[in-house]
Amino acid sequence: MPNLDIKYINVDREIERSRNLEKQLDEFALSAELHSAVTPDNISESDKNCYSKWKARLGFGRELTLAEMCCYTSHCQVLEAFLQSESKWLLILDDDIIIPSYFSELLDEVLNIDEIQDGCVNLYKRCDSFIDNSRS
């Protein structure tokens, strides 16, 4: 892949999720670097202080939970490191992703886009049938 940096965010204690994601990536001959997720146990005071309740209400219609704030912070950390790198592309994956069979074609298509509005492409689809509500 042309100058593509792939990172995945994983809570350290979720070893099975990490293994599952790496197995899925192997099927596409891709590798990714682990970024340890920020959690309520390790979020810094400075990260907590960066949170703006009114901006969350404006953007999401509500305040974020602490877990959501940690997730957001993890993504920001990965993005900040990418912006300091020489890589042209960054793909951030959460550790619970189910990679679709057409992933290679989708990735090729995105990597061949000449100009991206706002410098970002979001690839996501929530699929409730894959969510295990028994773990809640």
Side-chain angles (χ1 to χ4, degrees):
M1 296 290 156
N3 213 4
L4 174 65
D5 206 3
I6 304 175
K7 307 282 187 193
Y8 72 96
I9 298 171
N10 176 256
V11 175
D12 291 338
R13 69 179 176 275
E14 296 288 350
I15 297 166
E16 193 57 37
R17 281 185 173 196
S18 181
R19 286 184 187 142
N20 182 46
L21 176 56
E22 289 176 1
K23 181 180 174 187
Q24 290 182 78
L25 289 169
D26 284 346
E27 292 174 16
F28 294 95
L30 295 171
S31 61
E33 184 179 330
L34 165 67
H35 177 82
S36 291
V38 174
T39 67
D41 295 331
N42 68 16
I43 189 169
S44 70
E45 286 303 314
S46 64
D47 285 328
K48 285 182 188 177
N49 293 335
C50 287
Y51 173 68
S52 169
K53 290 180 181 183
W54 72 267
K55 284 183 180 179
R57 279 190 229 113
L58 185 65
F60 300 106
R62 63 178 178 78
E63 294 180 20
L64 298 179
T65 65
L66 181 57
E68 290 169 327
M69 191 187 323
C70 291
C71 182
Y72 174 80
T73 300
S74 298
H75 282 259
C76 286
Q77 289 175 347
V78 172
L79 184 57
E80 287 170 4
F82 166 73
L83 292 173
Q84 301 300 316
S85 76
E86 298 295 318
S87 295
K88 181 178 178 183
W89 294 96
L90 171 66
L91 176 62
I92 303 174
L93 302 170
D94 288 330
D95 63 1
D96 60 350
I97 186 173
I98 298 172
I99 299 176
S101 59
Y102 55 85
F103 184 70
S104 292
E105 293 83 8
L106 178 65
L107 198 52
D108 286 341
E109 194 171 316
V110 169
L111 293 174
N112 286 308
I113 295 174
D114 291 330
E115 191 173 319
I116 297 175
Q117 184 178 7
D118 299 326
C120 183
V121 176
N122 274 324
L123 305 174
Y124 64 90
K125 179 180 179 183
R126 182 182 170 116
C127 197
D128 290 330
S129 62
F130 292 125
I131 296 174
D132 181 2
N133 291 322
S134 66
R135 293 177 46 184
S136 302

